[in-house]
Each structure stands twice: as C-alpha cells, then as structure tokens.
Amino acid sequence: RDLFALVREHGDSIAISDDGEAYNVHIHTARPDHVRRALEAHGAILRHKVEPLFRRRGGTGMVVDTACDLPEGADEDLGILTVPFLVFVDGVEHRDRADLPKTEFYEKLADLALPLSTSQPPPAAFLDAYRRGRELYDDLLVLTLSSRLSGSNGSALNALRLLPEEQRTRVTVIDSRTLSTGLGLLALLAQDAIEEGLAPDAIRQRVEAARERVVSLGYMD
C-alpha cells in the first residue's frame, strides 16, 4: 500500500504485482523521470522501460523551452514538447523540470550560499525534440525564450540545420522576444491557431504580431 500511494502521486493508471523477489510496477504518467526518482529513493530499480503513449496526431505540433510558463499540466494535455534548460546546482547538472521541479529550483535559488547557474538547451536537445515531434506531427512550431536573454533560440536554429534538408521546411522557429508567462501566453495563442487549422506560416504571423503587445513587468524588493 505504501508503494501504491507513492506511485499514485505521479500517475493516473497503475498496476503492481509481487513475484516474491521484486515488485513489478506498470504506470501511465506524463513524468516518468519523477516516478523513477521517487522509486529510487525507496529501493533499487532492477530494470525499467519507458514507452511513449502519444499516438501520431498529424497537423502542427509545438515545441517550447522550459522558460515557457504554462498552467500546470497544460503541456502534457496539449501535446506540447518541452526542451529543458540546464541548471547547475553546486556543480551538478540537472535538466530543468525533468530532473529539477520548479518548486525545488526556487527553494535552491533562495539559498544564497548555494552556487547555482543555468545554461541554454544544447542544439542536440532541440534536435531530439524535432525528431520526436516529427513522429507525431506533420509540422512543428518552435517557440523559444527571447534571443536577447538567452542562446536558446540560437540552439533551436542550429538544431534545425542538422535536420535533413527536406525536413527543415516543416519546422518553424520563432523568437518570442519575451519570457516566462509572456512566452506561455504566446504558446497558448499559437495552440488556439493550431486548433483553428491554420497553416504554420499563418500561425507564425499571428504569434509575431501578438508578441509586440506582450509587456513584462518585474518587481524587486
């Protein structure tokens, strides 16, 4: 029952069996890395396998970096692929949100004695997202943190050049020129356009027009 309760926090469909030597856990989850870490804290994992539940959808899909703040679970619900920034805590590398949840990140950020820095996603991370995305969708729309604040957009463009030439026209990279919730608002606007059935170029034009109206305010104590 303790194991069931532990895993139940991270998934919506679970089956557990006991063969006398080990537990066999089958779980449907949007966060397999979280489940793995939770289980590792309570025992050794002898073997594991992760299989995607998404089936091919066609149409246009979206890729964002983790500077994009969306409502909790919206990326999984909408089929949006995320590319993690890298976070270095006391010299140890973590993938933003995949290895280091947001709440834990801010807890560590508040500890002024703890060395913490971030780095843009490498082109390889975007390339992996493009390949996974092209298995699900015909076209991809990529929204990144402002190029004035990070090299994430440059990584997305460099990854695009690594795709076979015939696939490059199916991926559209957009510099959001904003961050955080502003980027999330643009992603939701793009999702609305996708659901309307607009072509990728028309979606890009709508997003680029909307980004000029996004204003971000920062407050310092």
Side-chain angles (χ1 to χ4, degrees):
R1 281 183 299 201
D2 290 342
L3 179 62
F4 185 88
L6 172 72
V7 181
R8 189 67 184 86
E9 297 175 4
H10 300 277
D12 56 15
S13 177
I14 299 164
I16 299 177
S17 60
D18 178 6
D19 63 8
E21 297 183 355
Y23 289 103
N24 298 306
V25 180
H26 179 89
I27 178 170
H28 293 175
T29 177
R31 299 181 175 182
D33 288 332
H34 289 232
V35 173
R36 176 179 51 77
R37 287 200 306 276
L39 292 175
E40 285 175 338
H42 292 268
I45 296 179
L46 301 180
R47 58 186 178 275
H48 76 281
K49 180 171 66 172
V50 178
E51 296 180 337
L53 292 178
F54 282 138
R55 296 292 179 259
R56 179 162 179 81
R57 302 184 178 194
T60 301
M62 192 163 17
V63 176
V64 299
D65 59 36
T66 52
C68 178
D69 282 317
L70 291 163
E72 188 70 26
D75 50 345
E76 291 95 349
D77 292 342
L78 299 173
I80 297 174
L81 290 86
T82 59
V83 179
F85 274 76
L86 300 179
V87 181
F88 297 89
V89 181
D90 202 14
V92 179
E93 179 183 296
H94 304 269
R95 293 174 301 158
D96 182 32
R97 304 192 191 181
D99 302 328
L100 189 65
K102 278 198 298 184
T103 52
E104 187 176 339
F105 169 79
Y106 284 113
E107 288 171 0
K108 295 182 182 299
L109 185 64
D111 184 352
L112 300 182
L114 188 65
L116 189 149
S117 62
T118 63
S119 179
Q120 68 206 39
F126 277 101
L127 183 61
D128 178 64
Y130 297 167
R131 287 170 173 164
R132 288 185 290 120
R134 289 282 291 128
E135 292 177 356
L136 300 169
Y137 303 101
D138 300 322
D139 298 282
L140 292 175
L141 190 75
V142 186
L143 274 169
T144 69
L145 173 63
S146 172
S147 61
R148 298 174 183 175
L149 301 173
S150 166
S152 180
N153 185 261
S155 288
L157 291 171
N158 287 333
L160 183 60
R161 299 183 185 103
L162 297 175
L163 285 175
E165 187 172 354
E166 66 275 9
Q167 294 186 23
R168 295 175 198 167
T169 57
R170 312 309 296 259
V171 180
T172 302
V173 178
I174 301 176
D175 180 355
S176 73
R177 299 185 186 172
T178 186
L179 73 165
S180 190
T181 305
L183 177 49
L185 289 171
L186 291 180
L188 293 177
L189 180 144
Q191 184 64 34
D192 287 343
I194 288 172
E195 292 175 3
E196 287 179 31
L198 297 186
D201 192 56
I203 300 171
R204 176 187 59 78
Q205 292 177 29
R206 181 176 291 188
V207 170
E208 290 179 348
R211 73 184 176 187
E212 306 304 323
R213 304 195 302 273
V214 175
V215 177
S216 298
L217 301 177
Y219 295 88
M220 303 291 287
D221 186 350

